[in-house]
Amino acid sequence: MSELQLAVPTLFGLEGLAADELRRLGLSGVQAENGRVLCAAEARDIARVNLNLRTGERVLLVLGRFFAGDFDALFDKVRALPWERFLPREAAFPVKGHSLNSALHSVPACQSIIKKAVAARLGEKYGLNTLPENGPLYQIQFSLMKDQVTLMLDTSGAGLHKRGYRAVGVVAPLRETLAAAMVLLSKYRGKDPFCDPFCGSGTIAIEAALIALNRAPGLDRSFSAQKWSWLPAQTWLDAADEAIDREFSGTYDIWGGDIDPAAIQIARSNAVKAGVEDYVRFEVADATHFHRDEPYGRIVTNPPYGERILEKQEAENLYRAFGAAVRDLPPGWKVSVLSSHTEFERTFGRTADKRRKLYNGMLKCDLFQYMGKKSQ
């Protein structure tokens, strides 16, 4: 199949990381926009990107982009697209999407028009008045932005943050894609000791282990496009083989601690599901007494914010005590802390060397990074 275009939605703030990942996979025409990354691709790359991407939310196949200021234009331009190239006779093709700053602002109306237009095109091509829609899912997504329509097929199904290892979480879980981004932003590559003193269900430490091993995060789950007739099963097998061939082996010092024994039990179970139980240690531990003797290392953590778990004053007391513990570490330790607390630096006791705006769901946060005294 000739060159395609993929769109990868991301959490805000992660577009650059996802773009870098796509470039490392050898994709061309990579272009980061607000909340998504576009790239050129071949059919085989649908499998490769789904399996390997750590910081993207899903992989969408772009079928068309055009302007539409009224429903007649929307219907005609949707119908003009070659839907039969991708959707077989039995395809189930629900429609969902969003509209921002556009004349066609009613999402249900747009859904209905797009559905009718696709059905009209496919009915004509397959010689049917009514399409069965009893086959594999071809989820159509549309985006309407300032009257520009983008029509896409969702190749992923469940979001890519659902790696398959976190069957049970704890209160206020961190999305796996954001956890992976925090690890990547810390520049951890498997060499230094790695610690998360507020590990909760273990997501950050597990993502660190997957990164250290260079293990594709999507190997243990399925994707919608695996059932698509025009994308051979061998494509997915080849992508999996390629990913497995790129894995590393070694010994890594990756540790997670939490004061809650139930969270540690869940973290250990999640590590087993992720296949990294031999690379990560989880222990019941108090973050305010955290200490390591190694001359260097990395802390990447997501303490309670004082919004959903702890009251604000409790969170500030926790930050203050944790900041004091971190200051006693050897000078080579680098620290990255995700928090939405506006007074984090004051209570932690030190101004960050770098701050990066990120979003945990809809919650605006900052990643406060302390580079260690060696690099100052």
Side-chain angles (χ1 to χ4, degrees):
M1 190 167 283
S2 58
E3 191 171 90
L4 306 170
Q5 186 179 45
L6 302 180
V8 176
T10 71
L11 296 174
F12 286 109
L14 304 191
E15 300 91 345
L17 286 175
D20 288 342
E21 287 195 82
L22 292 170
R23 292 186 188 101
R24 283 197 296 274
L25 285 169
L27 279 84
S28 61
V30 177
Q31 179 184 349
E33 300 180 346
N34 277 339
R36 71 178 179 185
V37 184
L38 301 171
C39 67
E42 299 175 18
R44 71 186 188 98
D45 294 319
I46 292 173
R48 296 178 68 241
V49 176
N50 271 300
L51 286 171
N52 288 284
L53 201 59
R54 300 184 192 281
T55 59
E57 292 302 307
R58 58 183 64 247
V59 181
L60 305 174
L61 174 61
V62 180
L63 300 191
R65 299 178 86 172
F66 52 80
F67 284 94
D70 57 54
F71 287 122
D72 287 342
L74 180 64
F75 182 92
D76 291 342
K77 292 181 179 181
V78 170
R79 184 172 181 169
L81 294 174
W83 293 97
E84 68 281 359
R85 179 184 174 196
F86 300 100
L87 274 64
R89 181 179 177 277
E90 297 80 14
F93 55 100
V95 179
K96 63 181 178 182
H98 62 269
S99 176
L100 290 171
N101 302 322
S102 298
L104 301 179
H105 53 81
S106 170
V107 170
C110 291
Q111 286 175 302
S112 177
I113 293 294
I114 292 169
K115 178 82 175 181
K116 288 176 182 174
V118 176
R121 171 84 182 205
L122 293 178
E124 179 189 353
K125 294 296 178 179
Y126 294 125
L128 295 170
N129 291 325
T130 304
L131 294 160
E133 289 202 63
N134 58 359
L137 175 66
Y138 291 75
Q139 176 68 61
I140 297 172
Q141 287 209 17
F142 70 88
S143 130
L144 245 168
M145 183 79 68
K146 295 182 179 177
D147 296 332
Q148 185 181 58
V149 183
T150 305
L151 283 161
M152 300 160 285
L153 288 179
D154 181 359
T155 74
S156 300
L160 295 184
H161 68 279
K162 294 185 177 179
R163 317 285 206 220
Y165 65 75
R166 197 168 72 183
V168 181
V170 294
V171 180
L174 186 72
R175 188 169 284 205
E176 292 87 333
T177 42
L178 180 56
M182 291 166 62
V183 176
L184 292 172
L185 289 168
S186 79
K187 306 296 186 188
Y188 174 71
R189 297 296 183 268
K191 294 181 180 179
D192 303 352
F194 182 97
C195 300
D196 177 5
F198 298 93
C199 73
S201 58
T203 308
I204 293 174
I206 290 170
E207 291 296 324
L210 294 173
I211 287 168
L213 291 162
N214 201 37
R215 181 172 294 170
L219 281 173
D220 293 326
R221 55 157 288 176
S222 59
F223 305 92
S224 281
Q226 284 176 287
K227 296 181 178 178
W228 293 1
S229 56
W230 57 268
L231 201 56
Q234 190 62 43
T235 302
W236 296 90
L237 295 173
D238 291 345
D241 286 343
E242 178 196 27
I244 292 167
D245 287 345
R246 291 168 52 214
E247 283 190 17
F248 302 148
S249 60
T251 302
Y252 306 100
D253 182 357
I254 302 172
W255 177 89
D258 200 283
I259 202 166
D260 180 3
I264 292 301
Q265 191 173 356
I266 292 168
R268 288 173 179 160
S269 173
N270 288 344
V272 171
K273 292 187 184 82
V276 297
E277 69 273 20
D278 293 337
Y279 304 97
V280 187
R281 290 181 298 117
F282 290 111
E283 295 175 349
V284 177
D286 185 343
T288 64
H289 296 113
F290 178 81
H291 184 75
R292 295 287 290 254
D293 293 323
E294 295 91 342
Y296 58 87
R298 293 171 199 270
I299 293 173
V300 180
T301 195
N302 174 44
Y305 299 156
E307 298 193 25
R308 292 175 291 178
I309 301 175
L310 296 179
E311 294 300 324
K312 187 174 180 181
Q313 189 59 51
E314 286 182 286
E316 290 187 358
N317 291 338
L318 187 61
Y319 295 161
R320 194 172 288 111
F322 179 53
V326 166
R327 282 193 293 280
D328 286 338
L329 289 171
W333 280 77
K334 299 179 179 181
V335 181
S336 299
V337 184
L338 184 72
S339 178
S340 67
H341 200 297
T342 54
E343 296 295 314
F344 173 80
E345 289 168 300
R346 177 183 62 78
T347 54
F348 189 70
R350 185 176 159 199
T351 302
D353 298 314
K354 287 178 71 176
R355 286 176 60 172
R356 183 170 180 135
K357 281 187 171 49
L358 298 173
Y359 282 81
N360 185 6
M362 296 303 293
L363 189 62
K364 182 181 172 184
C365 301
D366 283 288
L367 185 66
F368 299 93
Q369 294 188 283
Y370 301 89
M371 299 305 178
K373 294 174 186 175
K374 282 184 178 179
S375 62
Q376 292 180 334

